[in-house]
Amino acid sequence: GENVEQHPSTLSVQEGDSAVIKCTYSDSASNYFPWYKQELGKRPQLIIDIRSNVGEKKDQRIAVTLNKTAKHFSLHITETQPEDSAVYFCAAQNNAGNMLTFGGGTRLMVKP
Amino acid sequence: GAVVSQHPSWVICKSGTSVKIECRSLDFQATTMFWYRQFPKQSLMLMATSNEGSKATYEQGVEKDKFLINHASLTLSTLTVTSAHPEDSSFYICSARDLLAGGGWEQYFGPGTRLTVT
């Protein structure tokens, strides 16, 4: 089955700096890679996603890159703000859409 | 985006009792729903895939007789934790799969249910 590794597990940055979170996956058939932000005790919220036919996607301060050959994808947050502090999860979904495998999560702390 | 609800949001029960958690897709029909469990400071772990009108598919290591799943309609799946024990205390999150207009699927998560077994 799919295996998703996520690094780092914790990340502390100064407000205004950039944050980068990286994930690797094992199943080359996976074709959809969402990123979720989860605040304590709440549901994961989809913040950005990318499909396998695209190498990069950007939405304001958030961008995701995908390297299918190397089977890794990354989340980039620029100009970080304290409200970006949360746990971020990457995930990989198989082609049939019936399995979403999560990475271990990254706790991002943005210091004001 | 699509909305998924869960009920209850928080439940405390005594060891040995059973607890039912409901997951509903409010504005779309979901033939497939998923049940996850999340322990503190850990990732979401898929427990089972719930398919409308058929038996659920359980992940390895998840006891199907302990975690009963019923997906009786296109908008409702239920997870019953039978004979709950303190080690079952966790955050249970469901999600529902919706077909996108351009093809492909997206999962929408419920708000989660925090189960505490005393």
Side-chain angles (χ1 to χ4, degrees):
Chain A
E2 175 69 276
N3 183 47
V4 179
E5 300 282 343
Q6 183 171 346
H7 299 280
S9 56
T10 61
L11 178 60
S12 181
V13 300
Q14 205 68 37
E15 182 178 0
D17 289 349
S18 296
V20 180
I21 303 170
K22 298 182 179 181
C23 287
T24 60
Y25 61 100
S26 61
D27 187 354
S28 57
S30 292
N31 63 357
Y32 174 63
F33 307 93
W35 285 88
Y36 294 90
K37 176 183 180 182
Q38 187 181 30
E39 298 177 352
L40 189 63
K42 297 187 177 180
R43 80 183 85 193
Q45 296 276 10
L46 179 69
I47 56 171
I48 195 167
D49 57 14
I50 191 167
R51 298 193 180 272
S52 58
N53 58 347
V54 176
E56 184 174 357
K57 184 177 178 180
K58 189 174 181 180
D59 183 3
Q60 298 182 358
R61 295 187 297 110
I62 297 173
V64 58
T65 59
L66 170 66
N67 184 326
K68 280 203 66 180
T69 304
K71 290 188 284 189
H72 66 70
F73 56 113
S74 301
L75 177 71
H76 303 252
I77 306 175
T78 59
E79 301 172 31
T80 55
Q81 301 166 3
E83 50 265 38
D84 294 330
S85 297
V87 178
Y88 291 81
F89 292 98
C90 65
Q93 181 169 282
N94 63 359
N95 190 43
N98 58 6
M99 174 76 76
L100 190 63
T101 304
F102 286 85
T106 297
R107 184 171 300 276
L108 174 64
M109 292 169 284
V110 180
K111 294 179 286 185
Chain B
V3 179
V4 175
S5 70
Q6 263 182 261
H7 177 81
S9 57
W10 189 20
V11 58
I12 301 174
C13 70
K14 291 187 177 181
S15 187
T17 61
S18 295
V19 175
K20 180 186 281 188
I21 303 170
E22 294 185 349
C23 178
R24 294 181 185 273
S25 57
L26 298 186
D27 50 1
F28 67 102
Q29 294 182 330
T31 56
T32 303
M33 292 184 176
F34 304 90
W35 286 97
Y36 296 87
R37 181 167 51 186
Q38 186 178 34
F39 291 110
K41 296 185 179 181
Q42 294 189 21
S43 188
L44 287 83
M45 299 300 296
L46 180 65
M47 299 175 65
T49 302
S50 172
N51 301 297
E52 188 268 337
S54 65
K55 292 182 179 180
T57 304
Y58 290 82
E59 295 302 302
Q60 192 172 9
V62 178
E63 300 175 58
K64 62 180 180 180
D65 294 331
K66 180 171 181 62
F67 298 99
L68 302 179
I69 292 173
N70 186 5
H71 194 153
S73 78
L74 288 172
T75 59
L76 173 64
S77 175
T78 61
L79 168 69
T80 301
V81 183
T82 62
S83 186
H85 289 97
E87 56 264 32
D88 298 324
S89 299
S90 187
F91 193 47
Y92 292 86
I93 305 177
C94 72
S95 71
R97 188 179 73 166
D98 193 20
L99 180 62
L100 299 176
W105 301 92
E106 187 167 335
Q107 287 194 33
Y108 299 93
F109 286 89
T113 296
R114 183 162 302 284
L115 171 62
T116 302
V117 184
T118 61

